């Protein structure tokens, strides 16, 4: 199993084949090498989190199709136009809040043209304007940090929930996830903003934002009032989120996601073609490979074996072990897909927690899930960074410089929240 | 004898790295040579490929397509609506105008080469920034002379660096032309690089004689040429600092030494570099 894991690590980093194909490889190698029975392996793929992921991707497809996310983005952005620094914070808030509801990559793809248009209207020269650099960097940091907030932010969140349910029989509700993660988001977001405006203090004056204000107002006007399909989509979305908040303990997040997705079809708000255009099935395969590998590492004892090795590194101290896991999550996610990074670390984190007295496997899993979303350093580390980089407003060096500090601070925030607040709410 | 050899100047700017310095220098050179200035703006294909690759598992092919389309449209709009306006202003400040501008989408080096195949170009002016995805292999290709701007001010001192790794036939002529037009002092340092020995003997055979001929030509022009021995890559930046040069001029590197050598020399150069044909 360790061999399969190492193969997956190499393939996920070097990407000689698409990531989802590596996911498939991880699945079929286990029965092929006699590590686990085929039935057991594929049962992991049928985990309820897969269906939650599917349902949430369909909901996201409807929101995207009807442009609801664009309306929200422009509306929220218009609240932050008083000063350039506030505008940068606004971009982070918009990116983060939309990433509570949609995948961070989709949010970055939506916001990029809007922001580029604003910067061009303001005649800001690429790479010369601190305001341009800070705005574009805030797009990638905002969406990444925001993706920690709910189960909808990225596939690694349902992956963690699915893993905990399969391996430890611990069920995480929609609200339970938010209760755990929101403080981390709410603390990290302003700190990352402070880093950005410290490194790149906007050179423009507040009155120069007039053009941005006018541009946002024009775009809002162009969108016009909400039509019937938009209202209905919003209604279905809010009902689904309401059900997740109130009934996910009883019904499970997957069942509610399926209800929401089916409602969209019944009300003819999306067609199957819309879903096919917007749902990446490769993500499901990647997820499947990731979760079956996690379960395989756990059940074969490979995770425990690795954890024993890591014990010496952490000197058997729970806080040090937790810190090492969080830092490892940050480092790994710079090199490979964040879902893959989380999949690799989850079983090791659980194995380590079960060996070290005073360390909870739930805490290590949550901490790994959050740190796995911290791809702040490289333009190739996460799609949102690549998308923001294509604007030409910042250099890879700018991202590396601010990302190092933002990453270091976020590691600290996750660690401190984990050892204090999570203990307080009884996760530890 | 000084020839008027620079009439058509092409300045290349990538959507990944907008360099005002390159435009300013190209405009300055166009004014000095009374040449025609063309701006080629390249929507960098490599950056779009990075989006595609990084988002492969997260976004569908359609979504990636829409994103790329929107990004391209915004970049094009930015170039047409803002950057060309800025370039025109810079050119006017330097006392010239941009005769023509084009936008192409593709890979930086390839688009430059394609342009040079289509149009006559006497000099390419570009910038150099290591922290990009840009591929500078155009430096290794047989193109017109390339001026790589490193963002320094006026050209007062030019250092020509002929060597036994390069074909120096047109170097002297070009160095004289630029020194004359820019009103700069010209220094010449012939580098004898030990790397020449044994690497591609068939091509370096007779280089000593060529070196002697080069020295003789310098004497004919009334120029003094010093001799140095060492690695061209290391000596170039050291000599540029010693001479406080604002511009380094190289001969056309022989093919077997071309791969990456110019890029390394440019990366470590403290001043602008002109790679002659």
């Amino acid at each position: 199993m360790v061999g399969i894991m190492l193969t997956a690590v190499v393939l996920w980093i070097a990407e000689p084949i698409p990531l989802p194909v590596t996911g498939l490889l991880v699945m079929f190698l286990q029965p092929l090498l006699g590590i686990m029975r085929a039935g057991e392996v594929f049962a992991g793929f049928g985990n309820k989190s897969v269906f939650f992921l599917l349902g949430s991707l369909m909901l996201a497809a409807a929101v995207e199709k009807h442009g609801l996310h664009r309306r929200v983005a422009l509306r929220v952005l218009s609240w932050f136009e008083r000063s350039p620094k506030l505008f940068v914070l606004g971009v982070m808030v918009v990116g983060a809040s939309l990433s509570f509801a949609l995948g961070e990559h989709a949010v970055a793809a939506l916001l990029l043209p809007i922001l580029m248009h604003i910067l061009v209207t303001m005649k800001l020269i690429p790479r010369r304007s601190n305001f341009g650099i800070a705005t574009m960097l805030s797009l990638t940091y905002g969406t990444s940090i925001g993706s920690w907030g709910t189960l909808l932010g990225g596939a690694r969140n349902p992956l963690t929930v699915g893993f905990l349910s399969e391996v430890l029989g611990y069920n995480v509700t929609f609200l339970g996830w938010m209760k755990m993660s929101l403080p981390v988001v709410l603390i990290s977001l302003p700190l990352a903003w402070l880093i950005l405006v410290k490194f790149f203090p906007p050179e423009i004056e507040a009155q120069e934002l007039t053009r941005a204000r006018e541009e946002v107002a024009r775009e809002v006007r162009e969108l016009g009032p909400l039509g019937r399909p938009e209202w209905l989509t919003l209604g279905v979305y809010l009902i689904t989120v309401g059900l997740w908040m109130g009934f996910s303990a009883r019904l499970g997040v997957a069942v509610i996601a399926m209800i929401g997705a089916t409602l969209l079809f019944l009300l003819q708000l999306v067609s199957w073609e819309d879903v096919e255009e917007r749902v990446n099935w490769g993500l499901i395969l990647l997820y499947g490979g990731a979760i079956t590998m996690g379960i395989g590492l756990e059940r074969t004892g490979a995770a425990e074996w690795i954890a024993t090795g890591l014990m010496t590194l952490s000197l058997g101290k729970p806080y040090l072990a937790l810190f090492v896991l969080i830092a490892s999550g940050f480092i790994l996610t710079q090199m490979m897909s964040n879902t893959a990074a989380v999949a690799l670390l989850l079983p090791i984190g659980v194995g380590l927690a079960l060996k070290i007295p005073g360390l909870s496997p739930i805490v290590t899993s949550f901490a790994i899930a959050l740190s796995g979303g911290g791809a702040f350093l490289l333009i190739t580390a996460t799609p949102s960074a690549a998308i923001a980089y294509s604007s030409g407003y910042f250099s890879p060096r700018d991202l590396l410089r601010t990302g190092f500090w933002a990453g270091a601070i976020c590691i600290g925030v996750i660690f401190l929240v984990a050892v204090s607040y999570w203990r307080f709410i009884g996760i530890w | 004898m000084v020839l008027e050899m620079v009439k058509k100047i092409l300045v290349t700017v990538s959507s990944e790295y907008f360099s005002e310095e390159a435009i300013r220098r190209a405009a300055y050179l166009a004014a000095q040579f009374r040449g025609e200035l063309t701006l080629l703006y390249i929507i960098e294909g490599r950056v779009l490929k990075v989006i595609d690759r990084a988002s492969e598992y997260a976004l569908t092919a359609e979504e990636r397509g829409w994103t790329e389309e929107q990004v391209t449209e915004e970049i094009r709009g930015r170039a047409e609506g803002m950057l060309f306006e800025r370039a025109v202003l810079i050119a006017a400040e330097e006392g010239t105008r941009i005769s023509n501008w084009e936008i192409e989408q593709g890979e930086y080096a390839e688009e430059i080469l394609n342009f040079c195949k289509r149009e006559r170009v006497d000099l390419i002016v570009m910038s150099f920034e290591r922290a990009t995805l840009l591929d500078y292999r155009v430096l290794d290709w047989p193109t017109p002379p390339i001026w790589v701007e490193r963002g320094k001010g006026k050209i007062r001192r030019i250092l020509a660096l002929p060597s036994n790794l390069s074909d120096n036939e047109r170097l002297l002529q070009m160095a004289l032309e630029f020194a004359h037009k820019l009103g700069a002092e010209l220094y010449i340092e012939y580098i004898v690089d030990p790397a020449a020995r044994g690497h591609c003997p068939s091509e370096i055979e007779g280089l000593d004689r060529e070196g002697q001929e080069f020295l003789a030509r310098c004497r004919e022009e009334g120029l003094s040429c010093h001799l140095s021995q060492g690695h061209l890559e290391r000596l170039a930046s050291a000599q540029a600092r010693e001479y406080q040069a604002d511009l380094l001029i190289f001969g056309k590197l022989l093919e077997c030494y071309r791969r990456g050598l110019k890029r390394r020399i440019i990366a470590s150069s403290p001043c602008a570099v002109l790679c002659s044909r």
Side-chain angles (χ1 to χ4, degrees), chain A residues 151-288:
Chain A
L151 285 178
L152 304 168
R156 63 190 178 280
N157 301 352
L159 171 74
T160 308
V161 172
F163 181 79
L164 284 173
S165 157
E166 285 284 328
V167 172
L168 299 173
Y170 182 86
N171 289 314
V172 184
T173 63
F174 194 81
L175 207 59
W177 180 277
M178 287 177 72
K179 210 164 120 187
M180 172 278 293
S181 64
L182 270 184
V184 179
V185 174
L186 295 176
I187 299 170
S188 301
L189 211 61
L191 290 176
W193 169 69
L194 282 175
I195 289 169
L196 280 182
V197 293
K198 171 91 184 142
F199 274 94
F200 301 104
E203 74 288 9
I204 60 164
E205 297 296 325
Q207 55 267 32
E208 288 178 70
L209 273 176
T210 314
R211 282 180 180 167
R213 255 192 295 275
E214 286 168 359
E215 185 54 31
V216 172
R218 188 187 62 78
E219 294 219 21
V220 171
R221 270 199 309 278
E222 263 179 22
L223 286 172
L226 282 178
R228 188 174 170 275
E230 284 92 347
W231 276 116
L232 282 174
T233 308
L234 185 64
V236 171
Y237 197 87
L238 291 178
I239 288 169
T240 314
V241 172
L243 287 173
W244 272 328
M245 297 272 208
F247 297 93
S248 65
R250 198 182 324 159
L251 296 173
V253 287
V255 172
I256 297 168
M258 289 295 133
I259 292 172
T262 312
L263 265 179
L264 291 171
F265 283 98
L266 286 176
L267 295 169
Q268 297 187 325
L269 294 169
V270 284
S271 64
W272 191 248
E273 287 75 30
D274 296 328
V275 171
E276 279 189 320
E277 276 181 358
R278 293 174 174 87
V279 175
N280 190 334
W281 305 108
L283 187 67
I284 310 286
L285 291 178
L286 172 64
Y287 176 95

Side-chain angles (χ1 to χ4, degrees), chain A residues 14-15 19 64 105-106 109 112-113 116-117 120 123-128 277-280 283 286 337-338 379 383 386-387 389-393 396-397, chain B residues 15-18 20-21 47 50-51 53-60 62-64 66-67 70-71 74-75 77-78 81-83 85-86 129 131-133:
Chain A
E15 286 186 48
L19 298 177
E64 287 173 34
H105 329 303
L112 180 80
M116 272 184 85
H117 209 71
V120 171
K123 299 206 180 287
L124 297 176
I125 304 285
R127 292 206 184 196
R128 296 216 159 220
E277 276 181 358
R278 293 174 174 87
V279 175
N280 190 334
L283 187 67
L286 172 64
S337 129
N338 44 34
I379 54 169
I387 289 168
Y389 179 71
S390 68
S391 70
Y393 274 94
R397 207 181 291 135
Chain B
S15 62
E16 193 188 359
Y17 177 52
F18 179 75
E20 281 197 2
E21 291 86 1
V47 175
V50 165
I51 299 185
R53 194 153 177 235
S55 325
E56 200 179 25
Y57 73 93
L59 302 173
T60 61
E62 280 88 354
E63 286 176 309
R64 296 199 303 273
W66 298 329
T67 307
Q70 282 184 309
V71 168
E74 286 300 330
I75 291 173
R78 180 175 68 190
M82 181 178 91
L83 300 181
E85 211 174 273
R86 179 88 193 121
E129 166 66 48
T132 59
L133 302 172

Side-chain angles (χ1 to χ4, degrees), chain A residues 354-376:
Chain A
L354 293 175
K355 281 195 164 295
I356 299 176
L359 187 61
S360 155
I362 316 294
V363 167
T364 55
S365 301
F366 283 158
I368 288 165
L370 298 186
S371 64
F376 294 162

Side-chain angles (χ1 to χ4, degrees), chain B residues 5 121-122 143-145 167 170-171 174 250-252 275-277:
Chain B
M5 59 169 86
V121 175
D122 299 321
T143 61
D167 175 354
R170 305 185 76 160
L171 171 65
M174 181 159 253
F250 287 94
K252 177 187 164 193
C275 312
S276 82
R277 256 182 299 200

